Amino acid sequence: MSGAALTLSGIRLSLGGAMLLALPPVSVAPGEIMTVMGPSGCGKSSLLAFLCGTLAPAFRAEGRVLLGGEDVTHLAPQRRRIGILFQDDLLFPHLSVAENLAFGLPPGVRGRAAREARITAALDDAELPCFGSRDPATLSGGQRARVSLMRALLAEPRALLLDEAFARLDAALRERMRRFVFDHAARLSLPVLQVTHDLEDAVSAAGSLMRLPGPGCAATLERGPGS
Amino acid sequence: MTLRAVPALTIALLLLPIGAGLLGTLLPAFGLLPAIGGQALSLEPWRSLFEAPGLGTAIRLSVSTGLAATLLSLALVLGFCAAAHDTRSFGRMQAALAPILATPHAALAIGFAFLIAPSGWILRLLSPWATGWDRPPDLVTVQDPLGIALVLGLCLKEVPYLLLMTLAALAQVRAAPALAVARTLGYGPVLAWLKVVAPQLWPQLRLPVYAVLAFSLSVVDVALVLGPSNPPTLAVMVVRWFADRDVALWFPAAAGALLQAGIVAGAIALVFGIERLARPIGRSWIFAGRRGGEGAWLARGASVLLALILAASLLAILALAVWSFSGIWRFPDALPQAWSLATWRAQGQALAAPIAATLGLASASTLLALVLVLLCLEAESRFALPPGRGATLILYLPLLLPQIAFLFGLQVVLVRLRLDGMAVAVVWAHLLFVLPYVYLSLADPWRALDPRMLRAAVALGAGPWRCFLAVKLPLLLRPMLAAAAVGFAVSVSLYLPTLFAGAGRIATLTTEAITLAAGSDRRVLGAYALVQAVLPLLVYGTAIALPAWHHRNRAGMSVR
């Protein structure tokens, strides 16, 4: 499907004149999972918001975000095709499970039958067959997390960001969900960037790891890919 | 009197006069009002109602202006929120809204008439250089037969009201993260808002929209100033009959008041039906997954329209001031040739009594409402009585029923009890409208109080009343005063309740201004309407300044 790298060059975020975070140039290859770790308040979530294009205007940001060869730094969020999963699954409470998935499915898939077929396939893939008409509020945490991933993937993203996506799940579920997300991203050869403060997330991802120190210091790339 | 009984008492205070009033309108509508000779049940009132000249036009006018004002205001507000929610101006809007909301309808309507009249400010600013007119043109702008001026005048007040309600509801649904998700899924800002946020907002917006609809369909004071006069809207027609010397007209008037209630009920049912129809359509619209574009021009357009509405309100108030201080002011001149205090000097004495009456009524009804609401909320939390949907509906009842449908009947009852024209009757009538607004603005801050703070107080040995007086009330000083300012503004703006419960003997700034609006002296009218507009603004300013001053050494109590 995709197969383009996510490249970040010279990214610096500041808030009210104070430097929040500065990244060394990094590139996340298709199918690779890069982990960014750091204490809370170090600007991890702001970094992801900057990559999505939803950073609050109070922040000042420098640097470029490239997907393959394309510079997406100044594109509106909806034009970037960068998917994101949050700690909360953020399924829309006014829509059914199927309607949530239809929300992600591009409008190019035309006709109710065609759209329903894609949604049914996605539900099967998430091991949630026949869940389409359910109210998302009646699903378990793990089920909701899987629907949320499917919704993001149906939108055909070119890169996937994870904002402590596994933090809310209980320990037993967490490793299963990691495998589920990482396997899907690998199958679609998406570059994945996750921020977390759980070292297990980084170990399980088995990609490169970047540690963010406190606010104001430059980040260091600790471990190369595959090491 | 125990605390536990306060909620029931409050509900009785609302329901009793409304129920009695409805009955007091219902009986004469079917011929029963022994005091003026209605001894037997009959359909005669309805026959004479339907034979009244111009009734069909009056009904058509009421329905068309009421629906147009409501739908236009709602579309503007939702359009603005959808298109401009991620612009910088959106956040600053709330501060600009409050002063306009505090301004009574009547003052805004009168000021708006000063703007758009053929000899009004807008044409003065455009003449003669743009229009070529050196005398007021022969146009009908105010009181036009289609009711366009009435619709626009209603929008001036309803747009800020619905916008405020939308902003309050937005705080309850977690809009920002949902919007971020929709944007990363490829949706443009406008469609993201309409598909993700609007459906979640609607349940909280429904009752305010119905209240706006009921108000627009049955408004009297604004319609007297801006609406067509012959025939007028149904509500105005009915009020004229009630005010007529010929008491025989009370019978068709009572029937007309019930018809008005039926029209409001029908319109609410219509909007409800539209909502039910729109739901499946909206679902398949969302299902199809269209993303929409930037919507940049839409955002700009919606912001400009909203800014125009707000600017018109501010200009309207300014126009009142300019006219009241004007000396000689010939037509195409943009500003008076000479300024003068003559109007104020001449009216100073006459203004004192209505100012005193307005202040007295507003203070009494607001204070009473505040005490009742605080005790209700305290009873609610102390005895764990969650207010059900029924209680919310009862609170909205005075706002959903056309005032004319129960105020005449209430007057009949008051006359029987020899209470008509007494201050206590007028305060009670005001309470019907003040209390719901005080409750609605205080309930959320009350429920948002940090319960751990109270647990800490209890653990330190404070009893329930000490918790109430020494912890809750001081913590809630800011929202309490804000709610009081809202209540005060509502009371100042009331026209029909003062007129009917006061039996025409109690003159407030509002009733005087509306009476004067029928005449032609803009300077005097400007003075009355300006005082009417300024009083609630002063109270509102105090409500902001007082807690800020009181908490000046308490950083934890400052507004975030």
Side-chain angles (χ1 to χ4, degrees), chain B residues 86-105:
Chain B
D86 59 352
T87 61
R88 272 158 195 269
S89 64
F90 193 72
R92 299 196 198 108
M93 200 54 75
Q94 202 151 0
L97 290 179
I100 296 175
L101 280 168
T103 310
H105 307 91

Side-chain angles (χ1 to χ4, degrees), chain B residues 193-254:
Chain B
W193 200 90
L194 288 177
K195 289 182 173 183
V196 170
V197 180
Q200 297 188 60
L201 280 186
W202 180 250
Q204 294 180 70
L205 224 46
R206 189 186 285 124
L207 276 178
V209 168
Y210 290 174
V212 163
L213 182 60
F215 178 83
S216 311
L217 285 165
S218 58
V219 65
V220 171
D221 48 2
V222 180
L224 278 169
V225 177
L226 294 173
S229 62
N230 199 22
T233 58
L234 178 63
V236 171
M237 194 179 239
V238 168
V239 169
R240 275 190 198 160
W241 289 337
F242 277 136
D244 204 284
R245 273 171 200 283
D246 179 5
V247 291
L249 280 176
W250 288 3
F251 292 106

Side-chain angles (χ1 to χ4, degrees), chain A residues 52 54 57 76-79 82 84 86 88 90 92-95 98-99 102-107 112 115-116 119 151-152 155, chain B residues 88 174 177-178 180-189 192 195-197 199-200 283-284 286-294:
Chain A
C52 297
T54 55
Q78 67 269 24
R79 306 230 169 281
I82 297 180
I84 185 165
F86 296 95
D88 299 312
L90 292 173
F92 302 129
H94 61 297
L95 301 178
E99 284 164 343
F103 195 92
L105 193 61
R112 185 160 272 271
R115 293 182 73 80
E116 271 168 0
I119 289 161
R151 183 176 68 176
Chain B
R88 272 158 195 269
R174 298 197 312 138
V181 168
R183 298 293 294 279
T184 60
L185 290 172
Y187 284 79
K195 289 182 173 183
V196 170
V197 180
Q200 297 188 60
R283 280 183 178 275
S284 40
I286 292 175
F287 195 84
R290 264 183 296 278
R291 267 27 179 194
E294 280 311 296

